[in-house]
Amino acid sequence: MHEAISEAGEAAGSCSLVLDGKAGSQSAGALLEKARRAGAGAGDVTIHCATLEAVDTRTVQILLALQRELLASGRRFRMVDVPEPIGRLLAVTGLAALDAAQTDGADDGAR
Amino acid sequence: MAPDDRLELLGIFFEEAKEHLTTMESTLLALESNPADPDLLNQIFRSAHSVKGSSGAVGLDGVRRYTHSLEGLLQQLREGTLTLTPALADTLLRATDVLEALLAAAEHGAAPPDVSDMLAEIEVHGGGPGPVAEESGMGWGLFEDDDEPTVEPGGLRTYDVRFVPARDLLRHGLDPLLAVADLAAVGEVLHVVADPGALPSLDALDPELCHLSWTMSLRTDKSEQGLRDIFAFVEDHCQLDISVAAAGAAAAEARAPSLATPGGPTRADAQPLAPETAASEAKGAALVRAGASSTVRVDTEKIDRLINLVEELVISHSMIAAAADDRSTAGERRLREAIAAVERNLDELQYRALSVRMVAMQSVFARLSRLVRDTSSALGKDVALRLEGKDTEVDKEIGEKLADPLTHLIRNAIDHGIEPPDVREAGGKPKTGTILVRARHQGGDLLVEVVDDGGGLKTERIRDKAVALGLIDAAATPSNDELHALIFAPGFSTAQAVSDVSGRGVGMDVVKRNVEALNGAIHFESERGRGSRFELRLPLLSSIIDGLVLRVGQQMFVLPLGPVIESLRPSAAQLETILGQGEVVRIQRQSLPLVRLHALFGIEGAESNPTRAVVCVVESENCRAGLLVDELVAPARIVVKPLEKNFRRVGGVMGGTILGDGSVALIVDVPALLRAATYRGTAREEEQ
């Protein structure tokens, strides 16, 4: 059984999380805990999704809440290597912003 | 869509919507008596659903949303979660009235009426889905979309879907994200927004509770029910609104940004359309006013018969052409036969072409049940309405103008005629009074009778009122018929109290004036204690009237037969000039103003000596006069042609017609002529 959420490591204050397998009710508690920790930190957050097979509403809500808090504090939220089926699901359910290559709270052009 | 096509579509929509409203009202009334009849309820629901669907299709989104709310209430009745009570029946009837007002406002380009109270009432009864009420603050958006209707090539429709999962949906093992994904899979997603507005902070977030909601525009060939089926598993745990959107709006949405922005809910163009509403309403109003025209639905059988007649005329023409070259006796005979056939065909063609305007009296009767229900309820009387001759056909214009006189007659019958239940019972009558409205054709006319089994006219009271109004002398001894005729006098009412129903002295005079304006006549009889019977005789077609062809000098006139009382050649003893009245002719102890048509129309060479001419006595609006003409030529049924298209309006003339010999005759406008004669008499009187 896949561990659906793990921390890939932290570098220079940034945080990386890995979403793996089927992210749903089983993994939501752990994801929320890690998301709270990441949100409380000071760096950007990257979600690695290369091996993600499925997401549910719980997972999406946690990611949206995390994204919102990061943006509010001027930090970056990124989901990378999103498999095409997951990207399509997010697109048709109005959640494509999660899957944008990069979202952040500052103007990209200023960086 | 081209403006002309749009106008045509709107015209059809309004026509159909009126039919649906009529059906809804009459069926609601029937449902009151048979609340357990599911067919009646289904009929009402279908009508409401049709109005909702087609109003969305023509861009009347305000009407669509209102009807959607009403439909919600009806749906609960169908499902049995609501029971039809008298209060609910009242609400439904008034909700239908409001829908009618909404449609009328849209049709005439007026501002939409405030429907918030009605919506609130619908919600109190348990109907009316949330979004309608929520959106009511943004105005009703009549014509807020000047875009294409919803049905696109290939049967595609664009739906607006709003999906708000219940907070505990996830705990039921159901995932709303999958339902949204399933919905997206059945069509083309033009726009979708996930609204995280209710999402708490990470610290407060309980991932087992659902905080998201969705709105989506979807183009698909699925039906609304097909879309609802996708949500079958979650429908008990969510708020789901699905409505048809205009295709043009859908296209606009497709062009708009379709992705949620991460910071919050979604998109700028998801906001209400209020700023554009006023301008687009005005545009819609202008569109409707510019294209204002009446339409009538025609049975295809009538059209087929017209086509057959034209084909027969073509054949007759060929026969005439062939016979014209044949100089033999047989050829002459065939020519005469062919000409006779053409005449027959033309006569029938004329009748059938004109009858295309005919509608069934059902359209006139439709509102009477509601009228009787509301009026009798307001007056605390029990009244049953019987309608006979619903299929009798009448000219559409006459049918429409007949509604007012019938309304007045029925109100008067309930108010003045039908007695209160206790009085009826004491008099040995059934507690419930009956009003019969019967329509039929008779001798080329439409005959409409209004019969009640009430107390009949109160002759003494009429007499007292007439004396009080100075209409008759206190010492006069008029007959009952003469007294009864006074009920048509302007301002005459015997009602003892002014009410919403009657008592203001308007009503019966309006009835008579309206009927006469249609070239009709009204007669009545009344028997004390037994009731009254009013008979309205009207032409079947507004453009065909029975008249009397007259000659004045070399000019031919037609006098509509309705107002004609009699004609005579007066003796010298009958003619005199009375101070204040001018020239009069004495007939049966009455002095009638003598109107010389040749003088009125400036015709030279006419007979000026009344004893060598003819006086036609005519009556209109309670005035009588004698029209002086040279000769009565013949009675005739004529087709009225308006003059205004080619000439300026001529006073005292209502139109023209072409007589059998090809000459043109002017049709006398009797009411206008008598008003002018009365005015001149009054003016002369004042000059004395």
Side-chain angles (χ1 to χ4, degrees):
Chain A
M1 187 176 178
H2 289 286
E3 175 61 43
I5 179 75
S6 62
E7 291 176 57
E10 294 183 20
S14 65
C15 171
S16 291
L17 301 176
V18 177
L19 280 178
D20 185 24
K22 294 174 180 171
S25 59
Q26 302 285 321
S27 57
L31 176 61
L32 179 61
E33 190 182 326
K34 293 180 192 302
R36 281 174 179 159
R37 211 160 44 229
D44 300 336
V45 176
T46 302
I47 312 291
H48 297 269
C49 305
T51 53
L52 183 62
E53 295 173 11
V55 292
D56 73 347
T57 300
R58 299 172 187 83
T59 305
V60 164
Q61 291 187 142
I62 294 167
L63 294 177
L64 281 171
L66 173 61
Q67 181 189 43
R68 189 173 60 191
E69 291 194 8
L70 293 175
L71 297 181
S73 59
R75 292 182 288 161
R76 290 184 179 191
F77 172 89
R78 294 194 299 166
M79 286 179 72
V80 296
D81 300 329
V82 177
E84 195 269 336
I86 302 293
R88 198 166 57 241
L89 173 71
L90 295 177
V92 300
T93 55
L95 297 160
L98 277 176
D99 181 26
Q102 167 179 299
T103 55
D104 56 49
D107 181 0
D108 273 341
R111 286 176 182 258
Chain B
M1 183 185 289
D4 284 353
D5 293 341
R6 172 79 192 272
L7 274 178
E8 188 179 347
L9 194 66
L10 278 170
I12 293 168
F13 164 74
F14 286 123
E15 199 68 25
E16 287 183 348
K18 284 172 194 166
E19 288 175 12
H20 286 305
L21 276 171
T22 302
T23 301
M24 285 172 71
E25 187 178 87
S26 59
T27 316
L28 271 168
L29 291 169
L31 190 68
E32 265 192 308
S33 308
N34 305 285
D37 189 336
D39 290 342
L40 294 174
L41 194 51
N42 288 336
Q43 177 62 55
I44 300 164
F45 185 86
R46 277 196 298 274
S47 288
H49 190 71
S50 298
V51 173
K52 185 184 85 167
S54 48
S55 57
V58 297
L60 296 175
D61 204 43
V63 177
R64 178 185 62 78
R65 276 177 278 157
Y66 175 82
T67 318
H68 182 58
S69 184
L70 175 58
E71 193 185 47
L73 196 57
L74 294 167
Q75 178 63 21
Q76 292 198 42
L77 278 168
R78 287 172 94 197
E79 290 167 352
T81 52
L82 271 180
T83 307
L84 188 74
T85 59
L88 182 52
D90 271 342
T91 296
L92 287 169
L93 282 167
R94 277 186 285 105
T96 310
D97 293 342
V98 171
L99 178 56
E100 185 178 14
L102 262 178
L103 287 164
E107 187 175 15
H108 298 108
D114 182 5
V115 298
S116 52
D117 286 350
M118 196 67 244
L119 278 176
E121 193 174 331
I122 288 173
E123 281 199 78
V124 164
H125 281 286
V132 175
E134 286 166 18
E135 292 172 17
S136 62
M138 72 186 211
W140 283 99
L142 296 173
F143 296 103
E144 64 193 11
D145 251 323
D146 193 25
D147 286 308
E148 301 291 324
T150 53
V151 182
E152 300 166 42
L156 293 173
R157 283 185 169 79
T158 299
Y159 294 92
D160 288 334
V161 181
R162 179 169 159 79
F163 173 46
V164 184
R167 194 56 67 88
D168 63 348
L169 183 66
L170 292 162
R171 287 180 174 156
H172 292 281
L174 302 165
D175 191 339
L177 194 65
L178 300 181
V180 175
D182 287 346
L183 178 67
V186 300
E188 179 190 359
V189 178
L190 301 175
H191 180 86
V192 59
V193 173
D195 184 358
L199 193 65
S201 68
L202 272 173
D203 285 341
L205 180 63
D206 178 353
E208 289 301 317
L209 295 179
C210 188
H211 306 283
L212 299 178
S213 63
W214 281 265
T215 54
M216 181 187 283
S217 288
L218 181 76
R219 183 183 289 143
T220 178
D221 59 358
K222 297 282 182 195
S223 67
E224 182 180 325
Q225 188 55 50
L227 299 187
R228 288 188 181 279
D229 289 345
I230 292 169
F231 292 86
F233 292 110
V234 298
E235 65 179 348
D236 293 336
H237 307 286
C238 72
Q239 178 190 317
L240 178 65
D241 301 307
I242 301 177
S243 56
V244 182
E253 289 196 350
R255 290 191 295 273
S258 62
L259 304 180
T261 51
T266 73
R267 41 177 283 225
D269 63 343
Q271 296 305 306
L273 302 170
E276 291 85 26
T277 301
S280 48
E281 271 178 17
K283 186 161 50 176
L287 197 64
V288 172
R289 277 197 294 270
S293 65
S294 179
T295 59
V296 62
R297 289 186 179 209
V298 181
D299 193 326
T300 50
E301 197 180 319
K302 285 185 178 178
I303 295 172
D304 290 345
R305 185 62 194 138
L306 277 174
I307 293 168
N308 287 343
L309 279 167
V310 171
E311 287 170 354
E312 285 176 29
L313 275 173
V314 171
I315 293 167
S316 298
H317 173 263
S318 303
M319 287 168 63
I320 289 171
D325 294 333
D326 185 351
R327 306 292 180 191
S328 69
T329 308
E332 272 183 29
R333 183 173 49 79
R334 284 201 299 276
L335 186 60
R336 280 196 297 274
E337 286 172 357
I339 289 171
V342 167
E343 285 174 353
R344 281 196 306 275
N345 287 342
L346 280 175
D347 280 349
E348 190 176 348
L349 187 62
Q350 182 190 45
Y351 172 76
R352 293 203 178 270
L354 291 168
S355 74
V356 163
R357 291 176 52 91
M358 306 275 264
V359 295
M361 278 296 287
Q362 169 62 31
S363 61
V364 182
F365 284 172
R367 311 311 294 265
L368 301 184
S369 299
R370 174 78 183 278
L371 173 72
V372 169
R373 173 194 185 271
D374 291 352
T375 309
S376 56
S377 170
L379 294 169
K381 296 184 179 179
D382 290 340
V383 183
L385 176 68
R386 274 175 53 206
L387 298 169
E388 292 182 9
K390 292 178 184 176
D391 295 329
T392 306
E393 287 197 322
V394 62
D395 182 283
K396 183 170 186 275
E397 186 186 345
I398 290 177
E400 286 168 354
K401 291 180 176 170
L402 191 55
D404 273 353
L406 278 181
T407 298
H408 282 302
L409 282 175
I410 289 174
R411 277 186 174 163
N412 271 281
I414 299 173
D415 196 13
H416 300 304
I418 304 287
E419 311 92 331
D422 53 336
V423 175
R424 290 180 63 86
E425 216 165 21
K429 289 181 173 180
K431 276 173 70 175
T432 301
T434 300
I435 294 176
L436 166 68
V437 182
R438 177 167 49 205
R440 60 196 159 101
H441 289 169
Q442 191 183 71
D445 292 330
L446 171 72
L447 206 64
V448 182
E449 296 166 276
V450 178
V451 186
D452 71 72
D453 68 348
L457 292 180
K458 299 166 184 71
T459 311
E460 311 82 53
R461 200 179 288 174
I462 292 171
R463 182 190 164 80
D464 293 346
K465 186 78 180 181
V467 171
L469 290 172
L471 294 174
I472 59 169
D473 191 86
T477 54
S479 67
N480 280 356
D481 285 348
E482 287 170 330
L483 280 171
H484 290 172
L486 290 172
I487 64 170
F488 292 114
F492 192 92
S493 173
T494 60
Q496 290 170 326
V498 171
S499 69
D500 287 341
V501 178
S502 63
R504 295 187 185 279
V506 292
M508 298 308 285
D509 60 321
V510 174
V511 171
K512 191 159 192 279
R513 201 179 312 141
N514 287 359
V515 171
E516 286 176 349
L518 292 169
N519 290 308
I522 183 166
H523 302 286
F524 76 98
E525 53 198 43
S526 180
E527 188 176 347
R528 190 65 189 270
R530 299 287 298 276
S532 301
R533 174 181 167 276
F534 288 82
E535 179 188 289
L536 282 60
R537 186 177 287 274
L538 297 149
L540 278 181
L541 289 159
S542 60
S543 54
I544 291 187
I545 60 170
D546 286 322
L548 206 53
V549 181
L550 317 168
R551 183 178 61 78
V552 179
Q554 295 306 308
Q555 176 63 51
M556 307 305 284
F557 287 90
V558 175
L559 190 61
L561 265 186
V564 177
I565 307 293
E566 61 179 314
S567 60
L568 66 147
R569 174 163 289 168
S571 65
Q574 288 178 280
L575 299 162
E576 59 182 319
T577 300
I578 297 179
L579 191 66
Q581 290 187 34
E583 201 173 8
V584 299
V585 53
R586 283 196 174 278
I587 298 172
Q588 294 174 349
R589 293 186 299 172
Q590 276 190 309
S591 294
L592 307 179
L594 187 66
V595 179
R596 292 173 178 262
L597 285 189
H598 66 90
L600 200 64
F601 293 108
I603 299 168
E604 293 180 356
E607 179 57 64
S608 58
N609 183 346
T611 60
R612 290 202 295 267
V614 177
V615 171
C616 283
V617 179
V618 291
E619 182 184 61
S620 175
E621 298 172 9
N622 296 307
C623 290
R624 282 189 184 189
L627 305 184
L628 188 67
V629 304
D630 287 14
E631 181 190 5
L632 302 184
V633 178
R637 176 159 290 186
I638 56 141
V639 179
V640 181
K641 302 278 186 189
L643 290 177
E644 283 82 6
K645 283 183 183 173
N646 299 307
F647 304 98
R648 65 179 175 81
R649 181 162 178 77
V650 182
V653 171
M654 62 182 280
T657 191
I658 298 170
L659 300 176
D661 62 359
S663 63
V664 173
L666 298 172
I667 304 167
V668 178
D669 184 349
V670 174
L673 215 57
L674 291 191
R675 279 195 294 273
T678 308
Y679 169 76
R680 282 201 310 277
T682 309
R684 275 199 300 268
E685 204 166 356
E686 287 169 352
E687 285 166 9
Q688 301 299 319

